[in-house]
C-alpha cells in the first residue's frame, strides 16, 4: 500500500481533490482551515491500494501554529511514500517556500497546481514543463472540477519514482560549497548541516530559486485581486457595505431556514401520511404498534430533520464558496473578541438558532482547539427553531397577544447565558489574547451548484444511517417505557412521577405531566409541546394554572438538555466525554437559572 | 516610517518587521524586503494588503510592528 500525503497551504483545495479521487464526500470550503485534523481515505487504482492522507493546511514546516503541527506528527509517525503538494495556481509564489522545504525531506513528491480554471480565467499561464524541470518534481495543472484530471493525477501518483534524491536549488557558486557537505554526509543530513552553517546564504538562495521559478509564470492575479479589492472597497470600507454583508448573511440565513422548515413540514407530513396508509392496512397487534411508534416515528423524525439540516448546510456552502464568509468573519472578529469568542463562533451561534446540529458541525472546523470546545459546549444554550413551538404554545395560553414577545425574550435569555458563561469560563481558564489574528481573504468566486450539492451530500451522508440508528434506539426505549406496566401504570408515567420530585424546587415538579413532557424532548424539542397537549387532554386536572410556574417551565425548556441529535453531533465531533460534559453543563445551568427565577418570582 | 502611518494606497517595501511578528507574518508570505500593495481598505481594526497575489487583512497592532 502506498501512503500519499496531501500537503499544501490552507484553502488550496486538498480536500476537494481527495474527494474527487476517492469519490468520497469530504468537507471543503472557500476559507482557510476547513480541515482541522489528519484524515485517511483508502482507495484502489489499477489493483493497487492507496491511502490518501488529508493534512490540514500548512504554511511552513518550521514556523508552525498549534493547529498546523499535524504535518509534523504525520512525518514523524507515519511512513510517507509520496507527498502531493497542492498549490493554488493563482498563488504559486506563496507556495514555493513550502515546496522547497518539502523537497528537502527527500520523499518523492509531485506538485498539483489546482484552480487551473481560475488561472485560465485570469490569463495566468504557468509553463509546467519548465517549472517541473527547474524543481525536478512532476508538476500538473489540475482543477478539482475537471473529471479528466482525476486520471492524470492518479497516473502521476502511480508512476511516481520510489527513490529520489532532491538536490537543493542553489546557484553554481553555492552549489560547489554544498557539494563538500554532500560528499561527506547523506543528502538529508548534508542539507541540514549546510542550512545551519550558512542560514543567510540559504535564505537568499531560496529567494533566488523562487524568483527563477516565477519566470515561468506569465500574467498575474493582479486584475482578479484588484476586482476583489474594488468590491471590498465598498463592502468592507463603507458603513453601507458592512451593513450589506451583515444583512445578506442574516437575510440569506432566514431564507434558507424558512425553506428548510417548510420542507421539514412537508417531509414530516409525508411520513405521517405514509405511516397512516400502511398502518391502516395492518391488523392491530404489538408488531403494528412497534412499527408505527418506533420505525415510522424514527423515520418521521429523521426526515423532518433532514431538510432543515440540508438547507442550513446549503446556506453555509453558499456563503463560504462566494467568499462572503471570510469578510463576515473579519467584520465580526473584533466584536466577538470582546466577548471572548471569534468570528466563527458568531456564525455557529447564528446557525444554532436554526438547528444545533449543523452549528456543532461548523464549530468543529475552528482551528483553535479550546475555542472550538468552548463554542460547542455553549451551542445548546441557543434556542433552536424546534423550541419555538413550545414557547409559543405555552405563552399563547397565558400571555395571548404577547406570546411572540415572550418567545423572543426566551431566545435572548439563551444568548445572555452564552455571554455570561463565556465570561465565567474566561475568568476560570483564559484561552485567548485580545489581539486580532491576521486574516487571508479569498477572492470572490462564482458559486458552483455541484459544489453546493457535494457539500450537502457530504454533510448529510455521514448522518443518515447514524442518526436513524440513534433515533430508532431512543424510540424503542420510549415504546418499551410506554408499554411495560409498573404498579398498574406505565413505566413512562412511573418514571415521570418519580423524577418530578426533583423539580419541586422549580415549582412545576408538583405536576408529573410537566416532567413527563420533558422526556420526549430528548428526542426532539418539538415533542415537548405535543406530549404536553396529549397528557393534558388525559389529565386536565394536573395543569398548573399559574403564569409564574409556566414561565419557569419555559425557561427550563429553553436552556435544558440538547436533543439527542445535537448530543450525537457533539459525540461525533468531540467524543462521548465532552458530550456528557455538555449535557451536565446545560442541565445544571437550566436548573440553576430556573431555580433562581423561581426564588425571585416567589419573593414578590 | 511605520506601515500603520501609511495613508495612501500603493506598493511599499517592508524594511523591517518586529521580531515577535516575523513568525506570524512569514506564513502569509510577508517578510523583510518584500513588497506589499497597501489598499485603502481599513475596516474593524484591519487594513487589507496584497502580498504574493494574496489578499491579507492585517490588524493595526501588526501594522505598527512593520517599518517601510
Amino acid at each position: 500500500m502506498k501512503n500519499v500525503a496531501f500537503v499544501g497551504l490552507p484553502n488550496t483545495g486538498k480536500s476537494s481533490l481527495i474527494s474527487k479521487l476517492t469519490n468520497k464526500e469530504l468537507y471543503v470550503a472557500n476559507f482557510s482551515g476547513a480541515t482541522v485534523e489528519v484524515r485517511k481515505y483508502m482507495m484502489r487504482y489499477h489493483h493497487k491500494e492507496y491511502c490518501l492522507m488529508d493534512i490540514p493546511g500548512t504554511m511552513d514546516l518550521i514556523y508552525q501554529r498549534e493547529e498546523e503541527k499535524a504535518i509534523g506528527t504525520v512525518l514523524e509517525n507515519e511512513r510517507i511514500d509520496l507527498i502531493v503538494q497542492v498549490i493554488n495556481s493563482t498563488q504559486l509564489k506563496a507556495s514555493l517556500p513550502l515546496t522547497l522545504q518539502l523537497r528537502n525531506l527527500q520523499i518523492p513528491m509531485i506538485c498539483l497546481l489546482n484552480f487551473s480554471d481560475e488561472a485560465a480565467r485570469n490569463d495566468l499561464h504557468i509553463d509546467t514543463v519548465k517549472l517541473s524541470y527547474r524543481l525536478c518534481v512532476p508538476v500538473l495543472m489540475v482543477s478539482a472540477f475537471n473529471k479528466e484530471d482525476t486520471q492524470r493525477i492518479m497516473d502521476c501518483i502511480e508512476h511516481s519514482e520510489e527513490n529520489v534524491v532532491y538536490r537543493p536549488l542553489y546557484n553554481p557558486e553555492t552549489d560547489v560549497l554544498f557539494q563538500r557537505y554532500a560528499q561527506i554526509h547523506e543528502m538529508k543530513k548534508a542539507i541540514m548541516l549546510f542550512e545551519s552553517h550558512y542560514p543567510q546564504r540559504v535564505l537568499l538562495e531560496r529567494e533566488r530559486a523562487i524568483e527563477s521559478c516565477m519566470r515561468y509564470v506569465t500574467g498575474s492575479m493582479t486584475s482578479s485581486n484588484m476586482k476583489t479589492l474594488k468590491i471590498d472597497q465598498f463592502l468592507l470600507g463603507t458603513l453601507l457595505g458592512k451593513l450589506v454583508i451583515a444583512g445578506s448573511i442574516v437575510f440569506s440565513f432566514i431564507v434558507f431556514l424558512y425553506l428548510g422548515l417548510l420542507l421539514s413540514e412537508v417531509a414530516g407530513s409525508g411520513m405521517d401520511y405514509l405511516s397512516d396508509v400502511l398502518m391502516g392496512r395492518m391488523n392491530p397487534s404489538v408488531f403494528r404498534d412497534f412499527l408505527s411508534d418506533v420505525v415510522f416515528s424514527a423515520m418521521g423524525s429523521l426526515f423532518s430533520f433532514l431538510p432543515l439540516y440540508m438547507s442550513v448546510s446549503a446556506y453555509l456552502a453558499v456563503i463560504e464558496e462566494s467568499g462572503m464568509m471570510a469578510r463576515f468573519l473579519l467584520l465580526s472578529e473584533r466584536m466577538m473578541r470582546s466577548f471572548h469568542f471569534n468570528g466563527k463562533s458568531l456564525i455557529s451561534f447564528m446557525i444554532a438558532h436554526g438547528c444545533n446540529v449543523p452549528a456543532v458541525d461548523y464549530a468543529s472546523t475552528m482551528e483553535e482547539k479550546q475555542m472550538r470546545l468552548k463554542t460547542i459546549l455553549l451551542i445548546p444554550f441557543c434556542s433552536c427553531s424546534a423550541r419555538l413551538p413550545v414557547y409559543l404554545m405555552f405563552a399563547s395560553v397565558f400571555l395571548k397577544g404577547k406570546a411572540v414577545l415572550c418567545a423572543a425574550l426566551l431566545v435572548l435569555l439563551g444568548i445572555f447565558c452564552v455571554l455570561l458563561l463565556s465570561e465565567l469560563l474566561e475568568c476560570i481558564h483564559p484561552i485567548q489574547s485580545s489581539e486580532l489574528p491576521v486574516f487571508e481573504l479569498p477572492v470572490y468566486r462564482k458559486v458552483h451548484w455541484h459544489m453546493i450539492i457535494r457539500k450537502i451530500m457530504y454533510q448529510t451522508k455521514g448522518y443518515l444511517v447514524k442518526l436513524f440508528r440513534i433515533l430508532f434506539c431512543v424510540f424503542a426505549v420510549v415504546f418499551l417505557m410506554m408499554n411495560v406496566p409498573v404498579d398498574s401504570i406505565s413505566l413512562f408515567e412511573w418514571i415521570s412521577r418519580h423524577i418530578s420530585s426533583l423539580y419541586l424546587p422549580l415549582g412545576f415538579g408538583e405536576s408529573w405531566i410537566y416532567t413527563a413532557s420533558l422526556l420526549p424532548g430528548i428526542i426532539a424539542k418539538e415533542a415537548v409541546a405535543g406530549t404536553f397537549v396529549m397528557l393534558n387532554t388525559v389529565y386536565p386536572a394536573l395543569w398548573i394554572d399559574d403564569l409564574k410556574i409556566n414561565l419557569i417551565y419555559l425557561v427550563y425548556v429553553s436552556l435544558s438538555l440538547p436533543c439527542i441529535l445535537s448530543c450525537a453531533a457533539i459525540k461525533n465531533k468531540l467524543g462521548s466525554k465532552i458530550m456528557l460534559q455538555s449535557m451536565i453543563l446545560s442541565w445544571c445551568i437550566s436548573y440553576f437559572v430556573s431555580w433562581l427565577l423561581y426564588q425571585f418570582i416567589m419573593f414578590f | 516610517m511605520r506601515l500603520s502611518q501609511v495613508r495612501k494606497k500603493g506598493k511599499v517595501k517592508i524594511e523591517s518587521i518586529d521580531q515577535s511578528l516575523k513568525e506570524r507574518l512569514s506564513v502569509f508570505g510577508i517578510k523583510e524586503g518584500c513588497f506589499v500593495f497597501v489598499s485603502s481598505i481599513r475596516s474593524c481594526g484591519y487594513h487589507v494588503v496584497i502580498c504574493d497575489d494574496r489578499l491579507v487583512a492585517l490588524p493595526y497592532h501588526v501594522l505598527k510592528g512593520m517599518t517601510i
Side-chain angles (χ1 to χ4, degrees), chain A residues 60 62 96-98 100-102 104 134 169-170 191 195 199-213, chain B residues 31:
Chain A
D60 197 294
I62 303 160
L96 285 172
L98 183 65
L100 299 179
Q101 286 181 333
L102 289 170
N104 286 359
R134 174 73 181 121
L169 304 177
Y170 299 141
I191 295 168
E195 286 190 358
Q200 288 304 319
R201 188 187 274 254
V202 169
L203 210 66
L204 202 69
E205 289 294 322
R206 242 178 228 168
E207 294 290 323
R208 276 190 195 150
I210 291 168
E211 287 306 322
S212 69
C213 288
Chain B
K31 292 167 188 164

Side-chain angles (χ1 to χ4, degrees), chain A residues 162-352:
Chain A
E162 281 177 11
N163 297 309
V164 290
V165 179
Y166 293 116
R167 287 170 59 83
L169 304 177
Y170 299 141
N171 75 359
E173 194 191 317
T174 314
D175 202 43
V176 169
L177 203 61
F178 173 72
Q179 280 296 329
R180 292 179 200 160
Y181 285 79
Q183 279 165 3
I184 307 166
H185 308 283
E186 53 107 10
M187 187 61 81
K188 215 168 172 177
K189 198 172 178 190
I191 295 168
M192 215 170 70
L193 286 171
F194 187 74
E195 286 190 358
S196 60
H197 291 168
Y198 300 96
Q200 288 304 319
R201 188 187 274 254
V202 169
L203 210 66
L204 202 69
E205 289 294 322
R206 242 178 228 168
E207 294 290 323
R208 276 190 195 150
I210 291 168
E211 287 306 322
S212 69
C213 288
M214 289 308 289
R215 280 206 297 267
Y216 309 125
V217 182
T218 47
S220 76
M221 276 297 286
T222 315
S223 62
S224 178
N225 281 336
M226 285 304 160
K227 269 184 212 165
T228 302
L229 266 189
K230 267 189 183 169
I231 301 170
D232 280 344
Q233 195 98 47
F234 167 68
L235 290 178
L236 296 175
T238 62
L239 180 66
L240 183 65
K242 286 172 194 169
L243 288 173
V244 168
I245 294 182
S248 58
I249 292 278
V250 174
F251 179 72
S252 52
F253 174 65
I254 294 168
V255 170
F256 274 93
L257 182 66
Y258 185 74
L259 190 76
L261 288 171
L262 204 74
L263 290 172
S264 289
E265 194 78 30
V266 173
S269 307
M271 277 307 296
D272 286 347
Y273 176 75
L274 191 71
S275 165
D276 288 347
V277 169
L278 287 172
M279 293 304 114
R281 290 180 184 175
M282 289 176 80
N283 294 324
S285 64
V286 179
F287 177 68
R288 180 184 172 276
D289 289 347
F290 179 80
L291 215 59
S292 161
D293 295 346
V294 179
V295 180
F296 275 97
S297 295
M299 280 170 71
S301 282
L302 186 69
F303 282 103
S304 43
F305 159 76
L306 272 184
L308 179 65
Y309 181 79
M310 287 164 90
S311 67
V312 175
S313 301
Y315 161 76
L316 279 174
V318 169
I319 61 166
E320 277 167 11
E321 278 307 299
S322 60
M324 285 295 270
M325 172 82 90
R327 270 78 190 172
F328 185 68
L329 294 180
L330 185 143
L331 290 183
S332 55
E333 191 69 32
R334 191 161 64 171
M335 180 189 81
M336 291 309 285
R337 290 262 152 185
S338 51
F339 297 116
H340 315 296
F341 287 114
N342 63 18
K344 280 191 179 180
S345 309
L346 180 63
I347 301 264
S348 304
F349 293 136
M350 189 178 75
I351 299 167

Side-chain angles (χ1 to χ4, degrees), chain A residues 461-533:
Chain A
K461 254 187 185 174
Y463 270 113
L464 212 61
V465 180
K466 214 177 273 179
L467 285 189
F468 180 73
R469 218 180 289 154
I470 293 164
L471 285 170
F472 180 84
C473 291
V474 175
F475 274 102
V477 170
V478 172
F479 179 78
L480 273 175
M481 281 164 66
M482 296 290 256
N483 290 286
V484 173
V486 180
D487 298 337
S488 74
I489 53 170
S490 70
L491 180 63
F492 177 74
E493 191 180 326
W494 185 83
I495 292 174
S496 303
R497 281 176 190 273
H498 280 80
I499 292 178
S500 58
S501 57
L502 189 70
Y503 293 100
L504 280 173
L506 307 186
F508 60 82
E510 289 165 16
S511 170
W512 68 268
I513 62 166
Y514 282 80
T515 324
S517 308
L518 292 174
L519 296 175
I522 296 166
I523 303 168
K525 290 290 163 193
E526 305 96 313
V528 174
T531 313
F532 193 88
V533 170

Side-chain angles (χ1 to χ4, degrees), chain A residues 311-521:
Chain A
S311 67
V312 175
S313 301
Y315 161 76
L316 279 174
V318 169
I319 61 166
E320 277 167 11
E321 278 307 299
S322 60
M324 285 295 270
M325 172 82 90
R327 270 78 190 172
F328 185 68
L329 294 180
L330 185 143
L331 290 183
S332 55
E333 191 69 32
R334 191 161 64 171
M335 180 189 81
M336 291 309 285
R337 290 262 152 185
S338 51
F339 297 116
H340 315 296
F341 287 114
N342 63 18
K344 280 191 179 180
S345 309
L346 180 63
I347 301 264
S348 304
F349 293 136
M350 189 178 75
I351 299 167
H353 284 91
C355 180
N356 282 189
V357 182
V360 170
D361 283 354
Y362 179 73
S364 67
T365 64
M366 281 184 199
E367 294 98 339
E368 297 161 86
K369 198 180 170 186
Q370 286 186 314
M371 183 60 76
R372 198 188 321 159
L373 185 68
K374 181 174 158 181
T375 306
I376 291 178
L377 278 176
L378 298 180
I379 279 173
F381 292 102
C382 298
S383 289
C384 64
S385 57
R387 293 184 209 197
L388 286 178
V390 188
Y391 302 162
L392 292 173
M393 192 205 83
F394 274 86
S396 59
V397 174
F398 287 101
L399 299 162
K400 304 278 187 300
K402 287 173 184 165
V404 177
L405 179 74
C406 174
L409 285 173
L410 286 165
V411 172
L412 285 176
L413 177 73
I415 297 169
F416 177 73
C417 279
V418 168
L419 298 177
L420 195 71
L421 283 170
S422 166
E423 202 64 47
L424 275 172
L425 287 171
E426 196 61 26
C427 290
I428 300 164
H429 184 58
I431 59 168
Q432 63 165 194
S433 66
S434 56
E435 281 189 358
L436 294 171
V438 180
F439 262 108
E440 189 183 341
L441 300 173
V443 290
Y444 290 108
R445 280 187 200 144
K446 203 174 96 183
V447 179
H448 294 270
W449 64 270
H450 53 272
M451 202 68 200
I452 306 300
I453 291 176
R454 177 173 291 209
K455 276 190 182 184
I456 297 171
M457 292 310 287
Y458 159 76
Q459 301 273 34
T460 317
K461 254 187 185 174
Y463 270 113
L464 212 61
V465 180
K466 214 177 273 179
L467 285 189
F468 180 73
R469 218 180 289 154
I470 293 164
L471 285 170
F472 180 84
C473 291
V474 175
F475 274 102
V477 170
V478 172
F479 179 78
L480 273 175
M481 281 164 66
M482 296 290 256
N483 290 286
V484 173
V486 180
D487 298 337
S488 74
I489 53 170
S490 70
L491 180 63
F492 177 74
E493 191 180 326
W494 185 83
I495 292 174
S496 303
R497 281 176 190 273
H498 280 80
I499 292 178
S500 58
S501 57
L502 189 70
Y503 293 100
L504 280 173
L506 307 186
F508 60 82
E510 289 165 16
S511 170
W512 68 268
I513 62 166
Y514 282 80
T515 324
S517 308
L518 292 174
L519 296 175

Side-chain angles (χ1 to χ4, degrees), chain A residues 1-5 50-51 53 78-83:
Chain A
M1 191 173 66
K2 205 168 184 172
N3 287 329
V4 185
Y50 293 91
C51 172
M53 297 180 197
E78 306 267 357
R79 175 180 58 85
I80 306 290
D81 300 307
L82 178 71
I83 291 175

Side-chain angles (χ1 to χ4, degrees), chain A residues 59 225 233 236 437 439 441, chain B residues 27 40 43 46 53-55 57:
Chain A
M59 302 262 195
N225 281 336
Q233 195 98 47
L236 296 175
F439 262 108
L441 300 173
Chain B
V27 294
S40 56
S43 180
Y46 283 96
D53 285 337
R54 295 155 84 188
L55 268 81

